[in-house]
């Protein structure tokens, strides 16, 4: 029996639960009185929001900042997510010369992280993407390569055709896998709503990860252009806007996730009718 890949599981969960929301889990030390409180709250947000989301995206920086306890919590979050059937995107934005990229790929896309997806920084050149692609293929995982990030300062480097060149390389890599959505995805900020349909067309095989919902100002209403006609092909992530929707209130986190999920679905429905 073949094990479904990250992309297949993401698509299946999107359709089964009718959700295109990605739960960002970025525990911020200054929001809590103790590590126990941080751990309990983070895991509780995950459990309570699980049925509302297509996948989960821990940002490694927040776990690294907590030292060894943080790395233990990251493993706990990943194990809990997998037990809940949630595909995991490790947001680490790794990238280095090829031999080091191979080590990063082994660390985050193989072993106990087999079947996960990893965010990857392409700044060192296209040759450095190959180790990530290879290890993702071997382990049923995926990568999301930075194409157009959500922050305002991205224009300093990503303008002038650079993002387009990365996108075209991802299209080439994705095409090699054949039909349908590939294991080579792209990060495109939800903060660029007017560009989403163009990126979708330019990277027909790439699953898209759209960060920036909520705290960075992106709104569900504006994001329909990122999706394929069947409503798959993209997930939209919110971290602070869910985990800290109203301080540490767990009901508010669930309500926020429901609102984002429903808002995305309503926007898609409107786009279908128009
Ligand atoms: O272009 C990018 C790529 C990644 N991120 C990450 O997503 C979350 C956003 O957090 P919010 O609290 O929802 O703003 C965070 O982990 C970023 O590192 C991004 O924002 N933009």
């Amino acid at each position: 029996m073949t094990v479904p890949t990250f992309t297949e599981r993401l698509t299946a969960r999107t359709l089964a639960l009718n959700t295109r929301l990605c739960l960002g889990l970025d525990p911020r030390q200054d929001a809590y009185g103790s590590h126990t409180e941080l751990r309990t709250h983070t895991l509780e947000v995950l459990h309570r929001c699980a049925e509302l989301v297509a996948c989960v995206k821990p940002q490694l920086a927040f776990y690294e900042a907590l030292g060894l306890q943080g790395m233990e919590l990251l493993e706990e979050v990943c194990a809990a997510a997998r037990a809940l059937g949630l595909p995991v995107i490790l947001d680490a934005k790794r990238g280095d010369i090829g031999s080091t990229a191979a080590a990063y790929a082994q660390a985050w896309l193989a072993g106990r992280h087999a079947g996960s997806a990893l965010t990857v920084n392409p700044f060192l050149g296209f040759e450095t993407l190959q180790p990530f692609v290879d290890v993702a293929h071997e382990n049923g995982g995926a990568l999301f390569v930075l194409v157009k990030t959500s922050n305002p300062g991205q224009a300093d480097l990503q303008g002038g055709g650079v993002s387009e060149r990365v996108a075209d390389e991802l299209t080439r890599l994705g095409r090699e896998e054949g039909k349908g959505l590939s294991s080579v995805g792209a990060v495109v900020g939800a903060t660029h709503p007017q560009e989403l349909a163009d990126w979708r067309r330019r990277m027909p095989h790439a699953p898209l990860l759209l960060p920036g919902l909520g705290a960075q100002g992106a709104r569900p209403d504006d994001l329909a252009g990122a999706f394929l006609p069947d409503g798959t092909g993209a997930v939209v992530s919110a971290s602070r806007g869910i985990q800290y929707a109203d301080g540490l209130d767990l009901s508010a986190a669930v309500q926020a996730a429901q609102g984002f999920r429903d808002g995305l679905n309503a926007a898609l429905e409107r786009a279908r009718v128009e």
Side-chain angles (χ1 to χ4, degrees), residues 18-38:
N18 197 25
T19 176
R20 286 122 191 111
L21 181 63
C22 169
L23 170 63
L25 275 179
D26 299 356
R28 289 165 185 261
Q29 207 164 10
D30 57 5
Y32 303 96
S34 67
H35 183 74
T36 305
E37 190 187 20
L38 176 151

Side-chain angles (χ1 to χ4, degrees), residues 137-220:
H137 283 169
E138 284 156 22
N139 291 277
L143 40 149
F144 287 95
V145 179
L146 303 181
V147 166
K148 186 81 185 271
T149 58
S150 64
N151 54 312
Q154 54 75 28
D156 298 341
L157 293 174
Q158 294 170 32
V162 171
S163 294
E164 285 77 3
R165 284 176 62 189
V166 177
D168 292 347
E169 176 64 8
L170 303 188
T171 299
R172 189 187 71 74
L173 289 167
R175 203 182 292 126
E176 283 175 2
E177 288 181 28
K179 277 200 181 136
L181 285 167
S182 79
S183 61
V184 186
V187 175
V188 176
T191 48
H192 311 295
Q194 67 295 343
E195 300 177 21
L196 294 176
D198 286 343
W199 291 119
R200 178 69 283 162
R201 264 192 299 274
R202 196 165 189 132
M203 295 178 280
H205 306 287
L208 303 181
L209 168 63
L210 278 64
L213 188 60
Q216 294 180 50
R219 299 172 332 120

